[in-house]
Amino acid sequence: MKFKIFSILGITLLCCFLAVTATLIESDKSNKLESRSTKSYLFDPLPKLTESSPATRYYHLELKVVKLSPDGYERPVWSVNDQYPGPLIQCNKGDRLVINVTNNSEDPATIHWHGIFQHNTNWYDGVPGQTQCPIPNRVSFTYNYTVDQFGTFWYHSHFLAQYVDGLVGVLIVHDPDDPYRNSYHEDYVITVSDWYHSPTAPLLVQRLAPHYTGFNPYPDSALISGVGQYNCSGAPAGYYCNRNVPPPTYNVNKGKKYRFRIINTSAYVTFTFSIDNHPLKVIEVEGTHVKNVSAATVTVIPIHVAQRYSVILDANQPVDNYYIRASIIDSCLPPRTNDTINYNSSINFNATGILHYQGAGSKKPTSTAYPFTIPLCQDLNASAIRPYKDSPAPSNVTNDFVFNITFARNDDDVGLLGINNSSFVPVFNNPTNLRIMLQENFTDFDKNQNAYGYDIPNGCVQITLLNNQPANHPFHLHGHTFWIVASGLGAFLSNISTSEYNLKNPVIRDTIIIPEFSHAVIRYLADNPGVWAFHCHIEWHVEMGLVAQLIERPTEFSNRTLPEDVRALCLQYDSYYKNHKRLTTLPRDSMVKRLRMFKKVK
């Protein structure tokens, strides 16, 4: 029996596919790894959008592997337009985005627009095997959708942990009616992330090896906005490592106020974020404005994988330099046992940047960190992030699911995670949304598709998550935000009392942490027909199968027409592998190619 995570069914594409091909790039040259050094846009205020809305905004993204050294240690990075993080995409609410993606990475790839609802454009959500086929190497594909929301988002590959290798970027949607738009002078973005010196291909092979008893690979660095300072004395002989990477620096003027949009783009870790001497007023959480109350002003923010916050900083302190701190909460990770991959990493858990007041000079900060008093491994207190406008949760539940987070070993003694004892296996060349459009019944899908459906228009879906595992899981829902009506200790239904549900003023977001041995109950409206992923956003757990598919209003969705370019992409993907005599176990083959590339530049 082959590894379950690599068992991709050899399903023949249906004859009703249109004989159209995606755009093939003319160049047939193999990717050359070249060193790149570019100044990141993240350290400048966001440029003002001057076009009237609604507007159509065009972007071109080239996926390419280049050598970069974000923390001083040089390695191959899966970049976007030669950058890590990738280029900024921004628009206004109501704008249309036309984003052409050219894949020159030598891997298949997709781009997921994290947090974007994709109303009426489910096929552009960017999840291989669920909403589209992967984009083969040397092929272009265009994502084309209208943004009917606002807030702080990001984009990333959803294919085989590529985003951990660098394939990420920032997506900002401005709201002309933002109640806080006149409360700050400039708008900045900060990303925080863990970082690995090995590409993920060999790490995944080890993580999913038979008899492996360790935990998720341990990172090598912590980064702020793609920049860190690695202790080069820990680098192996023969590897280039720059000991003098400048700290990430954000400039402010005394007397002004600044919006900082903070995004955790990590594979694995929870951060605490703070700026010395500067309390932070939370005004947005994952596309939802936050109430203007005193509780929204905090000194330290816990931010889990894939979560986002906007805060306002008042530059009212003496002119000086102050530390920006992004600290990994090591106690929220499993212990570093000797059998864990990269357990002897020389990581510095405390990444630091600089908040530089104009006129302060270049001396190092002497500021002191705020104490961290928030309960470990939990979300920011609900009183700090309640919606700006009261939004009671729906009370009439029409579809009720209970998802147990489970761990088991398969016949090859490979440790896998799952939903209700089923580990998800993607079928990359036959996406779920296509199958629904072809009138397949999701109840007939194989168990490992983890397909859960509901068909009541605008009904209320409730999901109860039970985590009886000794690990924390940040769960992200595609296509929706949700009301958090309950959360707490205990991983059994008996631990949950419906009388304690908060239906009056619950927090709304799209990513929630489920700490070990705990539960959460969320609700959302079935107002977006399509196929939506619901998964832990620790990328190692995704590859271990901790994914569900939510089939929303299949009767209505099956009457829609898949765009020809989306159909063509599946033909191109299938043809690409046939022409190159690929194995049917496509993910493993892709990782073997990445391993070869890694060896080439080692």
Side-chain angles (χ1 to χ4, degrees):
M1 178 179 178
K2 294 181 179 179
F3 298 169
K4 183 176 182 182
I5 197 66
F6 294 136
S7 300
I8 304 304
L9 302 177
I11 297 177
T12 304
L13 292 176
L14 298 174
C15 61
C16 63
F17 271 13
L18 298 178
V20 185
T21 59
T23 304
L24 182 65
I25 301 166
E26 293 182 0
S27 172
D28 193 29
K29 296 179 180 179
S30 62
N31 181 56
K32 294 182 179 179
L33 289 175
E34 301 175 14
S35 296
R36 292 286 188 270
S37 177
T38 57
K39 181 182 182 296
S40 175
Y41 64 88
L42 290 172
F43 304 115
D44 296 322
L46 293 180
K48 310 294 185 186
L49 295 179
T50 58
E51 303 90 340
S52 60
S53 289
T56 299
R57 303 180 189 275
Y58 297 88
Y59 291 89
H60 177 75
L61 306 181
E62 182 187 13
L63 314 184
K64 188 177 180 181
V65 183
V66 297
K67 287 192 292 185
L68 296 173
S69 48
D71 63 350
Y73 184 96
E74 189 174 69
R75 56 151 288 184
V77 173
W78 272 248
S79 72
V80 185
N81 294 5
D82 291 341
Q83 301 175 42
Y84 168 73
L88 169 69
I89 294 175
Q90 64 172 344
C91 65
N92 289 320
K93 178 182 177 182
D95 286 353
R96 176 185 171 206
L97 290 176
V98 180
I99 306 171
N100 178 260
V101 176
T102 297
N103 185 9
N104 279 326
S105 71
E106 296 197 9
D107 269 348
T110 67
I111 300 293
H112 167 59
W113 315 97
H114 184 107
I116 300 299
F117 295 153
Q118 297 294 349
H119 282 131
N120 301 312
T121 50
N122 174 255
W123 38 82
Y124 293 134
D125 194 44
V127 186
Q130 295 185 42
T131 65
Q132 70 168 91
C133 290
I135 307 168
N137 183 45
R138 297 190 299 108
V139 167
S140 287
F141 180 72
T142 299
Y143 295 88
N144 186 340
Y145 55 90
T146 297
V147 183
D148 54 2
Q149 56 198 113
F150 55 82
T152 303
F153 307 98
W154 58 302
Y155 62 89
H156 61 83
S157 172
H158 224 293
F159 185 80
L160 284 176
Q162 282 174 336
Y163 92 73
V164 185
D165 288 319
L167 214 166
V168 302
V170 171
L171 170 58
I172 303 300
V173 184
H174 299 278
D175 179 10
D177 299 317
D178 186 342
Y180 292 104
R181 66 177 303 179
N182 296 319
S183 300
Y184 56 90
H185 298 90
E186 298 286 357
D187 198 341
Y188 279 117
V189 176
I190 291 181
T191 63
V192 296
S193 181
D194 51 24
W195 187 247
Y196 293 80
H197 289 166
S198 167
T200 55
L203 299 180
L204 278 173
V205 170
Q206 294 175 75
R207 183 67 180 91
L208 294 166
H211 320 304
Y212 177 73
T213 58
F215 297 105
N216 298 324
Y218 225 81
D220 292 291
S221 284
L223 308 180
I224 295 176
S225 298
V227 177
Q229 290 81 36
Y230 178 65
N231 180 2
C232 289
S233 62
Y239 284 78
Y240 172 78
C241 190
N242 177 11
R243 299 175 182 271
N244 300 305
V245 177
T249 300
Y250 286 82
N251 298 313
V252 296
N253 288 287
K254 184 176 175 63
K256 288 190 173 183
K257 293 183 178 181
Y258 298 82
R259 179 176 188 157
F260 281 86
R261 301 171 183 265
I262 311 154
I263 308 171
N264 186 343
T265 64
S266 297
Y268 188 20
V269 308
T270 292
F271 280 92
T272 58
F273 180 87
S274 63
I275 301 178
D276 293 356
N277 293 43
H278 292 79
L280 304 173
K281 180 179 179 179
V282 183
I283 61 170
E284 178 228 344
V285 54
E286 292 152 27
T288 297
H289 297 309
V290 168
K291 275 190 181 300
N292 185 7
V293 294
S294 60
T297 299
V298 298
T299 55
V300 182
I301 296 176
I303 182 166
H304 303 281
V305 179
Q307 292 185 334
R308 296 97 63 206
Y309 293 96
S310 281
V311 300
I312 292 178
L313 175 145
D314 189 350
N316 59 1
Q317 295 299 300
V319 173
D320 206 342
N321 294 316
Y322 300 86
Y323 278 121
I324 300 171
R325 301 181 189 269
S327 299
I328 295 173
I329 308 179
D330 189 34
S331 57
C332 293
L333 304 177
R336 284 211 273 181
T337 58
N338 290 350
D339 50 356
T340 293
I341 301 164
N342 204 32
Y343 75 92
N344 57 349
S345 161
S346 57
I347 184 173
N348 177 2
F349 293 103
N350 302 303
T352 55
I354 295 175
L355 184 76
H356 170 73
Y357 276 69
Q358 296 291 354
S362 58
K363 62 180 180 179
K364 289 185 178 181
T366 58
S367 56
T368 303
Y370 284 113
F372 182 59
T373 58
I374 303 171
L376 290 175
C377 315
Q378 297 186 21
D379 278 327
L380 190 61
N381 191 290
S383 62
I385 52 174
R386 298 206 186 279
Y388 187 85
K389 295 181 179 180
D390 289 338
S391 180
S395 57
N396 183 26
V397 174
T398 58
N399 300 90
D400 194 355
F401 301 104
V402 177
F403 289 169
N404 281 279
I405 299 170
T406 55
F407 175 84
R409 291 188 171 274
N410 68 7
D411 294 344
D412 292 308
D413 196 30
V414 175
L416 298 172
L417 287 163
I419 300 291
N420 297 336
N421 295 302
S422 176
S423 183
F424 176 68
V425 177
V427 183
F428 290 141
N429 66 344
N430 197 19
T432 300
N433 62 356
L434 173 64
R435 298 174 68 183
I436 298 299
M437 288 180 179
L438 294 174
Q439 308 293 324
E440 287 192 51
N441 190 329
F442 69 87
T443 62
D444 296 329
F445 287 8
D446 289 342
K447 181 182 177 183
N448 62 22
Q449 292 302 285
N450 290 0
Y452 295 84
Y454 42 93
D455 214 7
I456 300 176
N458 298 306
C460 171
V461 181
Q462 176 172 288
I463 297 177
T464 301
L465 278 159
L466 302 176
N467 180 16
N468 196 27
Q469 301 295 321
N472 305 304
H473 297 288
F475 261 79
H476 171 59
L477 175 61
H478 291 216
H480 297 273
T481 54
F482 48 74
W483 289 271
I484 304 172
V485 301
S487 61
L489 293 175
F492 302 95
L493 290 176
S494 59
N495 301 123
I496 305 173
S497 172
T498 57
S499 64
E500 297 179 0
Y501 282 6
N502 179 3
L503 303 182
K504 183 180 179 181
N505 59 350
V507 167
I508 298 174
R509 62 188 317 162
D510 64 30
T511 306
I512 181 176
I513 188 69
I514 317 295
E516 60 181 5
F517 307 116
S518 70
H519 66 268
V521 183
I522 66 172
R523 291 182 182 179
Y524 62 95
L525 294 178
D527 58 2
N528 195 6
V531 176
W532 305 112
F534 183 52
H535 62 93
C536 175
H537 218 289
I538 291 176
E539 188 60 20
W540 311 112
H541 293 172
V542 170
E543 303 306 328
M544 294 170 69
L546 193 47
V547 179
Q549 297 191 86
L550 302 173
I551 317 299
E552 186 162 328
R553 295 164 60 177
T555 299
E556 179 180 344
F557 187 69
S558 64
N559 292 323
R560 296 186 178 177
T561 302
L562 195 70
E564 293 185 5
D565 60 337
V566 182
R567 291 179 181 271
L569 187 63
C570 286
L571 283 175
Q572 192 75 5
Y573 177 73
D574 201 47
S575 174
Y576 177 85
Y577 276 95
K578 287 179 181 178
N579 291 340
H580 290 75
K581 299 180 180 179
R582 299 299 186 195
L583 304 176
T584 56
T585 51
L586 300 180
R588 175 181 287 182
D589 187 52
S590 177
M591 286 197 291
V592 166
K593 189 172 184 65
R594 295 172 79 184
L595 275 166
R596 289 172 182 161
M597 181 178 292
F598 174 59
K599 290 178 180 178
K600 180 172 65 175
V601 300
K602 194 172 179 180

